[in-house]
Amino acid sequence: MTATPFGTMPDGTKVEAVTIAAGDLSACIITLGAIIQDVRLAGVAHPLVLGFPTLAGYLNNPNYFGAVAGRYANRIAGGRFSIDGETFQLSQNEGANHLHGGTAGYGARVWSILDIDEASVTLGLDDPDGTSGYPGRVKTELTYSVEEPGTLRTSIRSTTDAPTLVNLAQHSYFNLAGEGTIRDHLLTIPAETYLPTDAAMIPTGERRPVAGTAYDFRAERPIGGDPAAVVDIYDHNFNVTEGRTAIPHLLARLVSPKSGVALEVHSTEPGVQFYGGHMIACRDAGLTGEMHGANAGLCLEPQIYPDSPNQPGFPSAVLRPGEIYRQETLFVFSRA
């Protein structure tokens, strides 16, 4: 098993692609952003994630398609946080706030291939002290592995030499029908509460019950109503547990009635950011040749709660020297 060329970054850095497979599932991973570029299930003619056939598509459409978001996934209010009484100012790349690690986030960096075989690939990233304003040097190893019959496992390990934040999330856009929108997909999220946000999408600090709201996915139901409508209200964290767990637990289940494909997301992370993809507006055709627009795919991002450094009572994303950040996330595909 070897890597193949996928393109060259503007600074001359080479980007490579690796296809891994086992059982009924195969996945293509590229070294830019540790991106999941393509996922295929035996007997299904279309891709199950949104992606681009060339590197140019990812450079022209910086919406984190398939990337690993970090050093801190999601938002930090004002790009500012404190650890042990010391305040740090991060880059501000979404108005006044910091999003997905800033412009130099993990999803925009080229990772190194550390190991590879038919069913797995391990990537590494060495993030220097001071990148985007973060304290401490962080070393990360990420292994994508395909397990029979249809599981794509993400295993992440990070260490640091100074107290810092580490909160990584896989940012694939799923469309299990392979075309159109995800508004008819059936979604289940076993969360009793979610995090309401202000106008800048920063959590208010409240844990609001989902019961009686449009955020109640405890029982399987369609994401949207009228197929012509744009579902633009979903970009929120759902609180499945109050902290990281040792064993992956169910965060979400997604089914396409059109294709009969189902996806379960299991993770050791406490929250899942459900983003309905209402801001997608691609300038390049995707893997199927379709120009993706609003709600062409959705994200189910396992994570620590957004803005946790500034929200008392939220799970902590602080990593200290001598500790190891660990995340296990499983994307389990099947025919419903």
Side-chain angles (χ1 to χ4, degrees):
M1 177 64 65
T2 59
T4 59
F6 193 77
T8 303
M9 295 291 287
D11 66 357
T13 303
K14 302 296 184 183
V15 176
E16 296 181 292
V18 176
T19 297
I20 54 178
D24 294 334
L25 195 71
S26 65
C28 180
I29 310 300
I30 65 173
T31 53
L32 171 64
I35 285 170
I36 299 174
Q37 186 256 351
D38 197 354
V39 175
R40 303 281 176 148
L41 185 65
V44 178
H46 56 261
L48 303 178
V49 295
L50 304 189
F52 299 97
T54 67
L55 180 62
Y58 292 97
L59 300 181
N60 294 337
N61 301 274
N63 295 102
Y64 310 97
F65 285 93
V68 170
R71 179 181 307 191
Y72 190 97
N74 217 304
R75 297 170 174 89
I76 296 177
R80 189 177 300 106
F81 68 94
S82 298
I83 297 179
D84 300 335
E86 184 175 358
T87 298
F88 300 92
Q89 179 63 57
L90 304 177
S91 61
Q92 296 161 295
N93 62 317
E94 190 187 54
N97 300 319
H98 180 81
L99 175 67
H100 292 329
T103 55
Y106 289 11
R109 309 266 287 282
V110 177
W111 295 53
S112 300
I113 297 177
L114 303 180
D115 195 19
I116 182 173
D117 60 34
E118 291 186 356
S120 69
V121 59
T122 299
L123 305 175
L125 186 68
D126 190 344
D127 191 27
D129 174 46
T131 303
S132 297
Y134 286 100
R137 178 185 183 185
V138 170
K139 295 183 178 181
T140 298
E141 290 190 7
L142 180 159
T143 298
Y144 288 117
S145 56
V146 179
E147 303 171 358
E148 297 187 30
T151 296
L152 177 60
R153 178 186 292 267
T154 303
S155 302
I156 309 175
R157 304 288 184 273
S158 297
T159 58
T160 184
D161 63 1
T164 190
L165 302 179
V166 176
N167 174 35
L168 307 184
Q170 221 298 319
H171 202 283
S172 284
Y173 288 84
F174 298 101
N175 183 323
L176 303 184
E179 62 181 3
T181 75
I182 48 77
R183 291 189 285 273
D184 69 339
H185 282 41
L186 306 177
L187 179 63
T188 308
I189 300 178
E192 297 292 328
T193 62
Y194 77 101
L195 300 182
T197 61
D198 62 20
M201 300 307 297
I202 299 296
T204 63
E206 176 190 3
R207 288 177 172 84
R208 185 173 296 173
V210 300
T213 75
Y215 301 89
D216 190 350
F217 290 97
R218 292 173 296 174
E220 180 181 82
R221 68 174 179 85
I223 292 168
D226 182 353
V230 173
V231 178
D232 62 357
I233 65 171
Y234 298 119
D235 191 4
H236 296 76
N237 182 84
F238 287 72
N239 315 315
V240 181
T241 65
E242 286 300 313
R244 292 191 175 112
T245 58
I247 298 173
H249 54 271
L250 180 68
L251 286 182
R253 186 172 190 269
L254 186 69
V255 178
S256 166
K258 182 176 180 179
S259 70
V261 176
L263 165 66
E264 288 189 357
V265 181
H266 300 253
S267 183
T268 52
E269 296 301 285
V272 59
Q273 184 85 2
F274 167 36
Y275 169 47
H278 59 273
M279 292 184 285
I280 298 174
C282 291
R283 292 176 286 179
D284 295 83
L287 296 173
T288 63
E290 186 175 356
M291 296 291 290
H292 299 307
N295 303 138
L298 62 84
C299 298
L300 297 167
E301 307 161 52
Q303 60 175 14
I304 285 289
Y305 300 0
D307 197 35
S308 65
N310 300 311
Q311 300 281 357
F314 281 13
S316 174
V318 174
L319 181 68
R320 298 181 181 278
E323 298 176 344
I324 301 175
Y325 166 92
R326 293 182 172 91
Q327 182 193 137
E328 295 284 333
T329 294
L330 289 73
F331 300 99
V332 184
F333 297 92
S334 62
R335 301 292 295 275

